[in-house]
Amino acid sequence: MHEQIAPTKSNLIKTKQRLNTALEGYDLLGQKREILVSELMRKVEIVKILERDMDKRIETAYPCLKRMLIVAGRERAFKLGQNISYRYESKEKTVVTAGMKLPGLEFQMPSIDLKYSPVNSFAECDETVIEFFELLKICTELAAIRTIVWRLAREVKRTQRRVNALEKMIIPAVRETKTYIEAVLEERERDSFFTSKLLKKKEASDLL
């Protein structure tokens, strides 16, 4: 359905300009969508790799913890861990991806510091700490990349909505408006031509 505007030459010019702008916007948004989808798929592959790495690390970390608890006993392991703490830092940062600036997360892992005295230290405990540090490192990397994936997916969805709006609503409506104005103006030109022709014919007959 065409827009309700006066079928004038000036409005025809404006409508053609709007149509060109809409078509250019459609092409640009289509390109943006392709770039976003490509980058999204690349990030998803990274997520899959990290998830596999996490599963592998879990398969080694928890059996290691189980062995440590068997060797040391739960009570002794609890006492050893009571006075041990690590400082983890996380902050927001801007990530540039697919030509866009997106808010992301950055985690700063502490260095592994095995804080056991020679008397209380044992290999199973050290091994468990190392295993879970590696697991935590993978988890933080996964959390950071998933944040980007989620924001990229949201941007893809938003871009797709705009593409759909242009394709299914705006461009067809502007095209119909253009066609309508052109048809009215052509009809007016025909009427004007025939009217002019009739007037000339009448003037010629009056001269006779």
Side-chain angles (χ1 to χ4, degrees), residues 123-150:
E124 287 81 4
C125 184
D126 292 348
E127 185 182 358
T128 301
V129 171
I130 293 170
E131 284 285 341
F132 276 88
F133 255 87
E134 291 301 318
L135 178 58
L136 184 58
K137 181 180 178 181
I138 295 171
C139 288
T140 56
E141 290 176 5
L142 188 57
I145 197 72
R146 275 180 172 169
T147 300
I148 299 301
V149 166
W150 180 77

Side-chain angles (χ1 to χ4, degrees), residues 16-53:
K16 286 181 177 179
Q17 291 173 343
R18 286 180 56 209
L19 181 58
N20 288 336
T21 301
L23 290 171
E24 288 175 3
Y26 178 77
D27 290 338
L28 289 173
L29 284 173
Q31 294 172 24
K32 178 182 177 181
R33 178 186 56 191
E34 290 178 6
I35 293 171
L36 287 171
V37 169
S38 176
E39 184 64 18
L40 176 60
M41 297 308 295
R42 193 177 73 83
K43 297 292 186 187
V44 167
E45 287 302 315
I46 296 174
V47 168
K48 290 179 181 179
I49 292 171
L50 287 172
E51 285 176 342
R52 287 196 294 268
D53 291 344

Side-chain angles (χ1 to χ4, degrees), residues 84-90 107-113 115 133 136 140:
I84 299 172
S85 63
Y86 291 95
R87 181 180 179 83
Y88 301 88
E89 294 184 359
S90 65
F107 295 94
Q108 188 169 0
M109 296 283 293
S111 59
I112 299 178
D113 184 12
K115 303 180 179 180
F133 255 87
L136 184 58
T140 56

